[in-house]
């Protein structure tokens, strides 16, 4: 059994201490190539730490190539040829990047998804079927808007689940929201003033800013974007996330939706960009219908993605254009090729049409509902000291700690203990919130990570409050 000295008083996470010790032993030759490491269960019991802690250390060693996993046999030290195949300097740079990435084992990031239930077998089967018949058509360029079969499947899905009303010809498939925003900018043809919710999804803000669009931050209230302020701003394009505002989680009520649609209708050339980024995940009540479904004047540009519902690496997003903007696209920009491979389009189209997507969504809703329930249960440690919002939908919740005033110290102490949470102030285009809120994403975390992360949060919170007395 490995003799690893664990210092619980160190600020360095325990999993990192284990990882560094084993790495040093391998580099020094103390652990020879081919030697077997103890199982994560046995090592955890020996060190009196959680198995998850050892799994994190082994996972890091695996990712860097120091060890390898053999099915039903365990973990083994990699051979020297494999281990030192890379140039030492390059390997160290990669290791530093990975260490930076996994430094926070309890990262409550609002991005990312749980890939544990991804239907690999189904996806592999569909991929084989697409390629089975030596169909040369899949290697041709195809329709610039995206394959008709995929767009038809997307149209049916959007109409049934989101109430989106459109023809297949209005849908454009693209590789990621950033590409579709770039394409939309060329369709609009001018740097029109943009009004964005404040706080907002910063990736979209950065795209608009880089394209030279003048962006105005529009305040939010309990109903979402403040339409009177939007009207006074001179904006001609309003970027909104009405079904589940990012990052506050506000659901735009019917009256505010009507006011926003009325704003767009009042002037020719005004449009609403509806980013429906995670509408699939709602845990209480019925799904919130799209804003586009209530638009009778061709004023809403609708965007969505499969990144949250399936996997970020799928990189398939879609945009539904109003007919007036569709005409501009077809006349001026249809020479742009679709940025998603036809093979991926066909696989995804079949995934949708054969009902696999619906079944996958149902599984993931159940998984995420269990995770948010677990998170809410752990937050009871704070008692009446915490205010929680946004737990009915999406992949993150917001919390407020009214008694906490030393926010920077709180975040700093959490990072030192391997916990990362996200202050909402970091999502503001300008200004700061009246009260600081913290975003807690739960999709990528296990129940054990949620439990341990919240326990550390409570310990740090108590330490800061006791020091302040």
């Amino acid at each position: 059994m490995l003799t690893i000295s664990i210092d619980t008083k160190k600020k360095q996470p325990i999993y990192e201490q284990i990882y560094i010790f084993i790495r040093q032993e391998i580099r020094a030759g103390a652990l020879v190539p081919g030697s077997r490491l103890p199982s994560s269960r046995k090592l955890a019991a020996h060190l009196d730490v959680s198995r998850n802690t050892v799994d994190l250390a082994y996972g890091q060693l695996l990712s860097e190539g120091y060890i390898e996993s053999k099915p039903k046999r365990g973990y083994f030290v990699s051979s020297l040829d494999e281990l030192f195949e890379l140039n030492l300097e390059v390997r160290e740079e990669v290791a530093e990047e990975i260490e930076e990435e996994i430094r926070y084992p309890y990262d409550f990031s609002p991005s990312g998804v749980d890939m544990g239930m991804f239907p690999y077998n189904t996806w592999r089967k569909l991929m084989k079927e697409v390629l089975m018949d030596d169909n040369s058509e899949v290697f041709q360029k195809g329709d610039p808007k995206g394959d008709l079969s995929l767009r038809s499947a997307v149209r049916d899905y959007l109409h049934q689940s989101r109430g989106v009303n459109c023809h297949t010809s209005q849908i454009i498939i693209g590789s990621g929201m950033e590409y579709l925003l770039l394409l939309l900018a060329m369709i609009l043809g001018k740097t029109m003033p943009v009004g964005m919710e404040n706080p907002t999804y910063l990736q979209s803000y950065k795209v608009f800013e880089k394209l030279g669009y003048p962006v105005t931050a529009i305040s939010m209230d309990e109903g979402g974007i403040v339409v009177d302020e939007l009207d006074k701003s001179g904006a001609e394009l309003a970027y909104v996330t009405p079904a589940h505002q990012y990052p506050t989680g506000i659901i735009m009520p019917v009256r505010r939706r009507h006011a926003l649609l009325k704003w767009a209708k009042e002037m020719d050339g005004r449009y609403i960009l509806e980013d429906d980024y995670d509408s699939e995940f709602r845990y209480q009540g019925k799904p919130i219908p799209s804003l586009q479904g209530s638009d009778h004047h061709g004023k809403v540009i609708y965007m969505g993605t499969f990144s949250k519902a399936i996997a970020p690496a799928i990189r398939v997003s879609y945009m539904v254009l109003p007919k007036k903007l569709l005409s501009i696209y077809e006349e001026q920009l249809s020479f742009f090729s679709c940025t998603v491979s036809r093979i991926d389009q066909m696989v995804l189209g079949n995934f949708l049409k054969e009902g696999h997507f619906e079944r996958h969504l149902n599984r993931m809703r159940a998984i995420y509902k269990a995770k948010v329930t677990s998170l809410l249960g752990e937050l009871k440690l704070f008692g009446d000291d915490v205010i929680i919002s946004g737990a009915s939908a999406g992949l993150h919740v917001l919390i407020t700690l009214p008694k906490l005033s030393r926010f920077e110290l709180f975040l700093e102490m959490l990072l030192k203990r391997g916990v990362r949470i996200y202050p909402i102030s970091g999502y503001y285009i300008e200004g700061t919130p009246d009260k600081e809120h913290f975003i807690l994403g739960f999709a990528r975390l296990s129940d054990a990570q949620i439990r341990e992360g919240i326990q550390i949060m409570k310990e740090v919170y108590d330490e800061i409050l006791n020091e302040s007395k």
Side-chain angles (χ1 to χ4, degrees), residues 24 27 93 103 109 118 191 218 252 333 387 410 468:
Q24 289 174 342
R27 284 179 171 179
E93 288 178 1
R103 184 174 295 168
S109 171
F118 182 79
T191 54
I218 309 299
M252 188 180 291
L333 297 164
I387 299 172
F410 183 56
S468 303

Side-chain angles (χ1 to χ4, degrees), residues 192-210:
M192 63 166 57
V194 178
M196 295 192 76
E197 300 165 324
N198 193 39
T200 193
Y201 179 53
L202 292 180
Q203 192 76 355
S204 295
Y205 167 68
K206 290 175 182 176
V207 173
F208 284 123
E209 187 183 40
K210 290 297 182 184

Side-chain angles (χ1 to χ4, degrees), residues 218-219 224-232 256 259-261 263:
I218 309 299
S219 301
I225 193 168
V226 178
V227 179
D228 287 344
E229 188 175 325
L230 175 68
D231 188 43
K232 293 174 183 176
R256 184 64 55 87
L260 187 58
L261 289 168
W263 167 85

